[in-house]
């Protein structure tokens, strides 16, 4: 009987999670405030970001909006992620002389009953054009090829 009570909630959760992860622009809510995120940008966001020296802990960002963040204790957590953007999908950035910074949002992708829904965490994402490097959460980075030129 418990199975039949949990089935509709499980289906709703899976549909909502899948919708957030695959949408070009997703709306999230934080303290009653609406925020838009995207996992699409003119630069190659997806891939593996390594700590200095190319070692763990790492961050993996997948094209579908899912990913993995490994903490300092090497514990891996599946996450949903996105870059803050306008309602139309344009990433919101602060442009510097040879860099751009963005707000990176992520939350643990947990299917456990006791998980707190919509507990989004704000992080930092930056692109450094002169050295062709991207940084997520400040310490993990990857190099990229700029195909614009």
């Amino acid at each position: 009987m418990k199975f039949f009570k949990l089935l509709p909630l499980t289906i709703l959760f899976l549909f909502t999670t899948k919708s957030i992860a695959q949408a070009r622009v997703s709306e999230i809510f934080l303290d009653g405030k609406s925020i838009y995120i995207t996992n699409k940008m003119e630069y190659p966001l997806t891939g593996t970001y390594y700590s200095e020296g190319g070692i763990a802990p790492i961050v993996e960002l997948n094209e579908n909006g899912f990913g993995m963040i490994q903490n300092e204790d090497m514990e891996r957590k599946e996450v949903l992620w996105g870059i803050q953007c306008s309602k139309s999908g344009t990433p919101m950035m602060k442009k510097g002389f040879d860099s751009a910074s963005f707000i990176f949002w992520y939350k643990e992708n947990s299917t456990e009953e006791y998980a707190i829904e919509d507990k989004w965490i704000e992080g930092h994402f930056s692109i450094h054009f002169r050295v062709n490097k991207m940084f997520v959460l400040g310490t993990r980075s990857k190099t990229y090829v700029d195909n614009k030129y």
Side-chain angles (χ1 to χ4, degrees):
M1 198 57 150
K2 187 175 181 181
F3 172 77
F4 290 110
K5 288 181 182 178
L6 293 177
L7 184 62
L9 289 174
T10 303
I11 291 170
L12 178 65
F13 177 79
L14 291 174
F15 177 77
T16 303
T17 302
K18 191 170 181 87
S19 296
I20 288 173
Q22 292 182 344
R24 180 166 169 77
V25 176
S26 299
E27 185 175 13
I28 62 173
F29 299 94
L30 189 66
D31 298 328
K33 195 174 168 183
S34 181
I35 296 173
Y36 297 95
I37 61 172
T38 185
N39 53 23
K40 305 285 184 203
M41 179 186 292
E42 63 183 295
Y43 291 93
L45 294 171
T46 59
T48 303
Y49 294 75
Y50 295 95
S51 294
E52 190 174 340
I55 58 172
I58 63 171
V59 172
E60 291 177 358
L61 302 180
N62 300 322
E63 195 171 304
N64 62 1
F66 288 99
M68 184 277 302
I69 294 179
Q70 189 176 34
N71 64 23
E72 300 298 324
D73 297 332
M74 303 303 167
E75 179 185 1
R76 294 173 167 250
K77 293 189 179 197
E78 299 293 319
V79 295
L80 294 172
W81 66 274
I83 299 290
Q84 189 165 337
C85 65
S86 66
K87 193 173 185 176
S88 65
T90 304
M92 301 170 103
M93 74 170 129
K94 289 183 182 174
K95 191 145 177 123
F97 174 68
D98 65 348
S99 65
S101 62
F102 306 83
I103 298 175
F104 176 79
W105 290 99
Y106 68 98
K107 78 170 187 167
E108 191 172 344
N109 184 25
S110 176
T111 56
E112 299 173 15
E113 285 183 56
Y114 62 85
I116 300 171
E117 287 190 37
D118 290 334
K119 186 177 179 186
W120 289 91
I121 300 168
E122 182 179 341
H124 182 78
F125 184 89
S126 62
I127 302 174
H128 299 264
F129 305 114
R130 186 175 295 174
V131 293
N132 287 4
K133 274 197 160 190
M134 297 180 178
F135 289 84
V136 65
L137 302 177
T139 59
R140 283 98 180 210
S141 67
K142 77 168 195 164
T143 56
Y144 70 95
V145 176
D146 191 351
N147 293 326
K148 290 176 133 181
Y149 305 102

